[in-house]
Amino acid sequence: KTGGVFINNYRYLYNNDPLVFSYPLTQEYLNSSEVKAMYNVPQDHNYVLCNGDINAAWAYDQATSVTPQLEYVLERTRVLIYSGADDIECNTAGVLKFLSKLNWRGIKGFKQADREIWRTSGGVAGNMKTSTNLTFVTVYKAGHYVPLYQPSNALEMVKRWIDNTTDWSLP
C-alpha cells in the first residue's frame, strides 16, 4: 500500500497525477475517426489503454531478464538508460544497482565514473554518469514517464546523447 501516493511519481497522489488524467484523453484521441483513418485502423476497433487481457498475456515476458541481451548490446554499441528521480517503481538507486552488476568490458569504468550535474538553459535538469558505451541519466522532477513530466528535458537528453556530448554541465 502506498497511501494513495502514485508509485510512478511520488510527488502526486494517484488521482492527481497528470498521467492518470491523460488516460481518458489518450483513449478518446486514439478512438477518434480521424486518427483511425490517418493510421488505417478499422473504424470498429476500440483502443483501450492498459488492456488487462494483453497485460496478462505478456506477464511471462515482463518477468524475463534482459540482462544477457543488454550486456551483448553494451559490448557493441552505445546505450542510454534514464530514470525519473521521482519514480518509486523503477527508482534510480535500483537501476544503478542493476547496472553495476552487468558483466561487460566497460563496467569497471562505469562503476568508477562520477555522477555529474546536467544543466540545460532552464537550470539543473538532473545528473548523468557515463563510461564507454553506457550513459545513465537521472531526470529531476520526473516520474516513471520522463517525457510526460519533463518533455523539454527529455528531448534535450536524447539530443545530447545522440550528439555524444561529453560535457553535460554546460547549458
Side-chain angles (χ1 to χ4, degrees):
K1 299 268 181 177
T2 64
V5 172
F6 192 44
I7 63 170
N8 291 151
N9 189 331
Y10 74 79
R11 292 180 185 269
Y12 297 93
L13 293 176
Y14 183 79
N15 291 330
N16 294 331
D17 185 79
L19 177 68
V20 175
F21 286 138
S22 73
Y23 284 177
L25 298 174
T26 302
Q27 283 186 197
E28 181 181 332
Y29 173 76
L30 293 173
N31 283 316
S32 71
S33 297
E34 299 81 22
V35 170
K36 288 179 181 180
M38 186 177 4
Y39 292 105
N40 295 319
V41 174
Q43 290 296 320
D44 63 347
H45 177 79
N46 184 33
Y47 179 84
V48 178
L49 198 62
C50 296
N51 181 294
D53 293 337
I54 292 172
N55 187 51
W58 284 82
Y60 175 78
D61 267 1
Q62 292 174 357
T64 302
S65 176
V66 297
T67 300
Q69 291 87 344
L70 180 55
E71 292 168 342
Y72 177 86
V73 170
L74 281 167
E75 294 291 352
R76 291 157 177 78
T77 192
R78 294 173 51 238
V79 173
L80 169 67
I81 296 177
Y82 60 89
S83 176
D86 302 339
D87 185 359
I88 297 172
E89 186 175 23
C90 297
N91 59 76
T92 299
V95 175
L96 279 169
K97 185 172 183 175
F98 165 74
L99 294 175
S100 73
K101 297 201 179 286
L102 292 173
N103 182 21
W104 61 290
R105 65 184 151 92
I107 192 62
K108 184 177 180 183
F110 183 77
K111 285 180 178 180
Q112 293 173 345
D114 291 326
R115 287 167 73 179
E116 300 175 16
I117 297 296
W118 164 36
R119 288 183 178 83
T120 65
S121 58
V124 176
N127 64 62
M128 60 84 66
K129 176 178 177 137
T130 191
S131 179
T132 58
N133 283 348
L134 179 58
T135 298
F136 176 69
V137 180
T138 303
V139 183
Y140 294 163
K141 297 183 181 173
H144 193 75
Y145 306 95
V146 169
L148 174 74
Y149 299 104
Q150 292 293 327
S152 297
N153 288 344
L155 179 60
E156 180 69 20
M157 171 186 64
V158 171
K159 284 181 178 179
R160 287 183 189 211
W161 182 76
I162 288 172
D163 292 343
N164 207 12
T165 301
T166 54
D167 188 354
W168 288 45
S169 68
L170 301 173

